Amino acid sequence: MAAPRAEKPVGCPRIVRLFHFAIIVIAICAWGAGARAQDVCEKPVYLTFDTGHMEVAPLVAQVLKRHQVRVTFFAANERTKEGDGSLGEHWAPWWKARAAEGHDFASHTWNHTYWRADLGDARKPSFRVRPSAGPREGQSFVLTAAQYCEEVAHAAERLKAITGKQPLPLFRAPGGKTSPQLLASAASCGYTHVGWSPAGFLGDELPSEAASNEALLRKALRDVRRGDILLAHLGIWSRKDPWAPAVLEPLIVGLKERGFCFRTLREHPDYAKASAR
């Protein structure tokens, strides 16, 4: 007589399937919670870079990518150690790669043009300026308000042509030098000026002999506060001991350890509305 066949447990495959499904759901929920936690930014800071001689630009990009930090670049067509200017063809692929990584861009004027004085009046403003780049480098001359707007817009248009990304309707005057009349003229053609916070001046423009990288790092980690706009450059000609990337990486790590998170000016409460236009 044949032995009775063992009966298969009823419903086991269904239970196993449900168990596997539950694991998948839990994993998805955990990932979503982690992603949301990453998106929550209770102590934002806004790291910005102005252009410079660009020698350190590749190293800066590596550090930002390694730490998944997005920044806002203010660009002018400045003289560079290599290539045909910071917004020239040589550096165009570098800017395009930064756009693909999610960074934001804004104008720093085309010829890195410093405001020197107001001329005219509120009805017909003009400005004495002195560019530190371009065909009239080092010369003092006068721009009308419309011409100054063209100077700001030129850099923004070049950034868009290179990156395919619309720059923010913001600008930073070289040296942060402005006047109420200059700001009003720029605003009339759609540009809002952005400076930096007192503690956000990271000191890379200072002489190495007077401000070592170690001292600048200590100061920034001590003084930076929630909401600060931080300023650095893609290379300073006069600094013998380059600030970037020597200070940049430990600064990012140190600020993150203190609970800070990095955002671009697109998300800054004072500029988000203008940036959304």
Side-chain angles (χ1 to χ4, degrees), residues 225-272:
R225 295 292 181 267
R226 177 184 181 274
D228 279 353
I229 297 174
L230 315 182
L231 166 68
H233 297 78
L234 296 174
I236 294 292
W237 289 90
S238 59
R239 189 171 176 87
K240 295 177 183 177
D241 186 14
W243 180 92
V247 178
L248 177 61
E249 189 149 28
L251 177 63
I252 289 173
V253 171
L255 290 177
K256 283 188 172 184
E257 287 175 348
R258 288 159 173 76
F260 290 97
C261 38
F262 292 84
R263 294 293 184 266
T264 75
L265 290 173
R266 183 183 300 275
E267 299 168 85
H268 191 288
D270 291 346
Y271 308 114

Side-chain angles (χ1 to χ4, degrees), residues 56-137:
V56 300
L59 298 173
V60 168
Q62 290 172 17
V63 172
L64 297 178
K65 187 173 184 179
R66 183 156 53 243
H67 294 281
Q68 294 297 292
V69 166
R70 292 180 299 115
V71 306
T72 306
F73 291 101
F74 287 90
N77 192 36
E78 299 189 61
R79 285 187 300 115
T80 53
K81 288 191 174 183
E82 182 182 9
D84 52 344
S86 50
L87 289 176
E89 289 303 315
H90 178 85
W91 287 100
W94 188 90
W95 292 109
K96 191 170 184 178
R98 304 293 77 77
E101 292 165 355
H103 299 286
D104 276 320
F105 310 97
S107 175
H108 195 32
T109 74
W110 177 248
N111 288 312
H112 202 250
T113 300
Y114 284 87
W115 170 87
R116 305 288 286 179
D118 288 343
L119 302 172
D121 55 37
R123 291 173 302 173
K124 195 174 181 181
S126 59
F127 312 101
R128 184 168 299 282
V129 299
R130 186 176 182 179
S132 65
R136 301 185 73 178
E137 176 183 344

Side-chain angles (χ1 to χ4, degrees), residues 192-255:
T192 302
H193 186 261
V194 179
W196 53 87
S197 306
F201 177 73
L202 298 176
D204 63 344
E205 296 175 88
L206 301 175
S208 304
E209 299 80 4
S212 68
N213 282 339
E214 293 78 8
L216 292 177
L217 177 61
R218 285 196 303 271
K219 183 179 185 299
L221 290 175
R222 182 190 70 216
D223 294 346
V224 167
R225 295 292 181 267
R226 177 184 181 274
D228 279 353
I229 297 174
L230 315 182
L231 166 68
H233 297 78
L234 296 174
I236 294 292
W237 289 90
S238 59
R239 189 171 176 87
K240 295 177 183 177
D241 186 14
W243 180 92
V247 178
L248 177 61
E249 189 149 28
L251 177 63
I252 289 173
V253 171
L255 290 177

